[in-house]
Amino acid sequence: GSLIPPEERRLRDKKHLDDITAARLPPLHHSPAKLLSIEESIAIQIQQKEAYEEMQAKLAAQKLAERLNIKMLRFEPEGEASMQYREVRDED
């Protein structure tokens, strides 16, 4: 047989795969994996845990504030609801 240069062989194989399948690998958005030392790994995990706990605390504070604001907004002893009632009654 004839010898085919590696570049041409790779292109031919790629074309063959394109002909027989529509499957594609997803594009690589992130850098490839790299090895870390134990110390680097632990430091990253501690940072991630602190960031996670901070986000959880913010979310909990936000939910609590929303609950308190809802209760405060509904309580109107001398608010608009009583004024609207008086205005309607005065018109009648």
Side-chain angles (χ1 to χ4, degrees), residues 11-89:
L11 289 174
R12 189 183 68 183
D13 292 346
K14 183 178 180 188
K15 184 179 182 318
H16 175 68
L17 281 176
D18 288 346
D19 291 341
I20 63 172
T21 181
R24 298 280 183 272
L25 290 175
L28 184 64
H29 294 291
H30 307 287
S31 59
K34 65 178 186 177
L35 294 176
L36 297 176
S37 69
I38 295 293
E39 293 81 14
E40 287 176 312
S41 177
I42 290 172
I44 290 172
Q45 288 179 16
I46 289 171
Q47 288 174 348
Q48 289 177 339
K49 182 181 176 194
E50 289 172 354
Y52 174 77
E53 289 173 350
E54 183 179 337
M55 287 301 297
Q56 289 293 98
K58 285 181 182 179
L59 183 61
Q62 181 182 1
K63 285 183 178 181
L64 181 61
E66 288 174 2
R67 287 182 186 166
L68 292 176
N69 285 339
I70 289 172
K71 289 179 183 176
M72 292 300 289
L73 290 175
R74 288 183 183 170
F75 181 69
E76 299 178 11
E78 298 290 330
E80 290 181 26
S82 61
M83 293 303 290
Q84 288 173 352
Y85 175 75
R86 288 180 187 159
E87 289 173 9
V88 171
R89 191 169 185 179

